[in-house]
Amino acid sequence: MSAFISIPVLAAIGYIFVAMMPAEGEAVESGFNLATVMLFLLYIVFVMITSSFYQVVIRNHVFSHMALPDTAKLNSDIRFASLLMLRLTNFLAIVCSLGLAIPWAKIRVMNYFTQHTHVATLAGADAILEQATSETNAVAEEAADMLDIDLSLG
């Protein structure tokens, strides 16, 4: 599926790059020119599109088949268009703020993933919680006694 998407995109990038090349006999400027900048930006957008598509497909598939037996079932309902828009706006914010928006962008991504991840607890979850709270561990009690340090300030 991704080959059907990537081949036309790469062909379009190549066409744009060739169209921006200087004609025969024109002087070629050294350094960055408009074609280089456009090619770089198209490459970034292409990587965002393909990585967003890949992450949506893999994450939704893995989370829909992930479950703890008799305890919980997980689900993810991330959509390609919304994840792509999130990444594009984060990229623009980071570029326009000269990198100062990186923490803000990371929080937005984590917030998006947590809003679109669902955990359904099943009847067996209560039995696990009861078992964990009813068991007392002698090693844990002794370790707590060993690390108990009495500090007196007087």
Side-chain angles (χ1 to χ4, degrees):
M1 177 70 181
S2 63
F4 293 119
I5 296 171
S6 63
I7 291 173
V9 171
L10 289 175
I13 291 172
Y15 177 75
I16 291 170
F17 183 70
V18 169
M20 292 183 172
M21 302 253 326
E24 192 173 321
E26 289 184 16
V28 179
E29 299 175 16
S30 62
F32 288 114
N33 56 12
L34 183 60
T36 306
V37 172
M38 290 299 295
L39 186 63
F40 183 69
L41 290 176
L42 285 173
Y43 173 73
I44 290 173
V45 170
F46 177 71
V47 168
M48 278 189 212
I49 291 170
T50 55
S51 66
S52 296
F53 179 76
Y54 178 77
Q55 187 168 14
V56 165
V57 169
I58 296 298
R59 183 181 170 94
N60 287 345
H61 175 74
V62 167
F63 274 63
S64 68
H65 290 86
M66 185 182 300
L68 296 171
D70 297 329
T71 306
K73 181 154 178 55
L74 286 93
N75 190 20
S76 176
D77 62 352
I78 294 175
R79 299 289 171 240
F80 170 70
S82 60
L83 181 62
L84 181 62
M85 287 306 297
L86 176 73
R87 286 188 172 176
L88 285 174
T89 55
N90 283 349
F91 175 73
L92 290 174
I94 290 169
V95 169
C96 291
S97 70
L98 301 176
L100 293 175
I102 291 174
W104 175 77
K106 287 184 179 184
I107 290 171
R108 282 186 73 201
V109 170
M110 288 299 113
N111 188 24
Y112 178 78
F113 284 144
T114 55
Q115 286 179 352
H116 293 279
T117 303
H118 308 287
V119 179
T121 56
L122 304 175
D126 294 333
I128 292 175
L129 284 174
E130 288 175 7
Q131 179 183 6
T133 57
S134 66
E135 289 182 7
T136 58
N137 193 346
V139 175
E141 289 179 11
E142 291 301 321
D145 288 340
M146 182 178 70
L147 296 175
D148 187 25
I149 299 172
D150 185 28
L151 294 175
S152 58
L153 299 174

